[in-house]
Amino acid sequence: PPRISAMSQTAPASVDSSTLPTQMKAWVYQEYGNVDVLSFDSNVKVPELKDDQVLIKVAAAALNPVDFKRRLGKFKASDSPLPTVPGYDVAGVVVKVGSQVKELKVGDEVYGDIHEKALEGPKQFGSLAEYTAVAGLPLAIETAYEGLEKAGFSAGKSILVLGGAGGVGSLVIQLAKQVFGASRVAATASTGKLEFLKSLGVDLAIDYTKEKFEDLPEKFDVVYDAVGEGERNVKAVKEGGSVVVLTGAVTPPGFRFVVTSNGEVLKKLNPYLESGKVKSIVDPKGPFSFDKVKEAFAYLETNRATGKVVIHPI
Ligand code: NDP
C-alpha cells in the first residue's frame, strides 16, 4: 500500500508533469566523512518513481542530526549505497504520482519525512535536491510522538524533557502539553534558552549549566532524553515510570527506539499544527539558502540549534 500521508491542501499549483527534467541540482556525497565530502552537483538524475510513490518538487528541507551521523558513516551497515543525496524532511508540491497512489494528486502541497525507516535502507536520493521521490511522510515530530506513545504517556502524567530546546525536545514539550494533556512539564536547556522553554509551555525550566536535574527532589512519570544522558536520566523517574532515550547508552528501565515514518502520525497531528496549538520552531539562524547547505550542517553539528535548521528556497 502506498505509504503516503496526505498533509495535502489542494494547491492551485500549475504543474505539468510532462515537462519534468531528467537531471536536477542536488547536494551529494560519494564517500563518508565530515562536511567537506558534500558537493553541489547540477547533473543528478531525477529519481525514478515506484508505483506507490510520488515525485515532489522540493520547496524546503530541514536538517536532522541523523543526516550528519549518516554522512559520518555511523549507520554504514544498514545504509543505502553511495553516492547519497542526504535529507529526510521535505516540503514541496507533488509533480508526478505512481500508478497505485490514491491519496495524492499532482499539485498537492505536502510535507514529511521521506525515509520510512531512519536507519535501515534510507533512500539514496534524499530531500536536499530539486526533486525527491516520497512514499512516506517530518522526522522530529514523529520521533517526539512515537516516544511519548511508547512511554505510555497520557493525561495527568508529569514529564521531564532532557534537551527541551532542540528539534525533538521542543516538540515533545508541546505535544505533552497540547496533545497528551500533561499535568506538569519540566525541561532542560542552557541559561539563554530558559525563556524559550517557558514560551513552549514548560512549567519548570531547568538550567543544566547550574543545576543537576537528577538531584531535584521531584521525580517524573516519564523522562524523555533527547541528549543522551546515560545513567543520569533514570535517576529522575518515579518508580514504575518510563525513560525514553533517543541516543547514547541506555540504562534500564530506559529504552531506545528508532523513528518510523509512515504518515500516520502527521495525519493525527496535522490539525494541531494547522490550528497553531503546536508550533513548528525554525531556528533563527535559518532558513539557509540551498547554496548554504554546508554552513547549515556545520551549524547543526554544533549541537546548539533551537528548533529546526531549515533549507529554503530550493
Ligand atoms: P538538535 O540538534 O535539534 O538538538 C540541539 C539542542 O540540544 C540545542 O538546543 C541544545 O540546547 C540542546 N542540548 C545540547 N546538550 C544539552 C544538554 N546537555 N542538556 C540539555 N540540552 C542540551 O537535535 P534533535 O532534537 O533533532 O535530536 C536530538 C538527538 O536525538 C540527536 O542525537 C539525534 O540524533 C537523536 N534522534 C534520535 C532519533 C531516534 O529515532 N532514535 C530520532 C531523532 C533524533 P543548549 O544550546 O541550551 O545546550
Side-chain angles (χ1 to χ4, degrees), residues 65 69 143 163 167-168 188 190 193 208 226 246 257-259 303-305:
K69 294 180 185 181
T143 303
V168 176
T188 60
S190 57
K193 293 179 175 171
Y208 71 80
L246 294 185
F257 74 100
V258 178
V259 61
N303 196 26
R304 297 278 86 83

Side-chain angles (χ1 to χ4, degrees), residues 1-266:
R3 284 208 181 61
I4 293 157
S5 176
M7 294 312 90
S8 62
Q9 292 125 21
T10 311
S14 52
V15 183
D16 179 357
S17 54
S18 64
T19 59
L20 289 175
T22 53
Q23 312 259 296
M24 63 177 183
K25 299 186 179 89
W27 284 88
V28 187
Y29 52 89
Q30 310 278 347
E31 57 180 330
Y32 294 117
N34 65 21
V35 166
D36 295 327
V37 300
L38 281 165
S39 64
F40 190 68
D41 187 335
S42 304
N43 298 302
V44 177
K45 206 166 157 265
V46 172
E48 281 182 18
L49 278 193
K50 296 191 181 131
D51 290 342
D52 66 347
Q53 295 184 320
V54 299
L55 189 71
I56 306 285
K57 172 79 178 75
V58 180
L63 303 185
N64 286 283
V66 66
D67 283 301
F68 69 77
K69 294 180 185 181
R70 182 181 174 204
R71 194 199 64 219
L72 289 167
K74 288 187 192 286
F75 311 121
K76 243 184 228 177
S78 57
D79 205 351
S80 52
L82 295 163
T84 300
V85 173
Y88 285 64
D89 288 346
V90 68
V93 177
V94 174
V95 291
K96 193 174 172 182
V97 295
S99 58
Q100 283 176 30
V101 175
K102 307 265 184 294
E103 286 185 53
L104 290 174
K105 58 186 184 310
V106 169
D108 283 349
E109 290 183 343
V110 293
Y111 68 88
D113 163 9
I114 66 167
H115 301 292
E116 186 184 0
K117 295 196 172 155
L119 305 181
E120 285 164 53
K123 293 185 174 65
Q124 203 171 353
F125 297 98
S127 59
L128 291 171
E130 289 181 295
Y131 294 90
T132 196
V134 174
L137 272 187
L139 189 144
I141 197 167
E142 291 175 320
T143 303
Y145 187 85
E146 203 173 325
L148 286 166
E149 262 203 331
K150 285 197 154 67
F153 198 67
S154 59
K157 288 189 179 177
S158 63
I159 188 168
L160 169 65
V161 185
L162 304 178
V168 176
S170 59
L171 288 160
V172 174
I173 292 168
Q174 296 187 76
L175 296 185
K177 272 258 146 158
Q178 303 293 342
V179 179
F180 287 80
S183 59
R184 190 163 158 81
V185 179
T188 60
S190 57
T191 318
K193 293 179 175 171
L194 301 178
E195 286 308 313
F196 171 63
L197 293 186
K198 289 181 192 156
S199 75
L200 295 175
V202 164
D203 302 294
L204 176 67
I206 304 166
D207 184 342
Y208 71 80
T209 68
K210 298 195 176 130
E211 263 186 298
K212 288 191 164 167
F213 62 83
E214 70 271 35
D215 292 345
L216 292 174
E218 182 176 0
K219 304 295 167 196
F220 299 87
D221 294 311
V222 169
V223 176
Y224 197 118
D225 183 358
V227 174
E229 296 283 17
E231 61 200 13
R232 292 176 61 199
N233 54 32
V234 297
K235 295 185 182 151
V237 74
K238 284 184 188 166
E239 212 178 308
S242 306
V243 179
V244 191
V245 182
L246 294 185
T247 184
V250 177
T251 307
F255 68 91
R256 201 167 145 175
F257 74 100
V258 178
V259 61
T260 306
S261 175
N262 62 17
E264 288 307 311
V265 169
L266 295 182

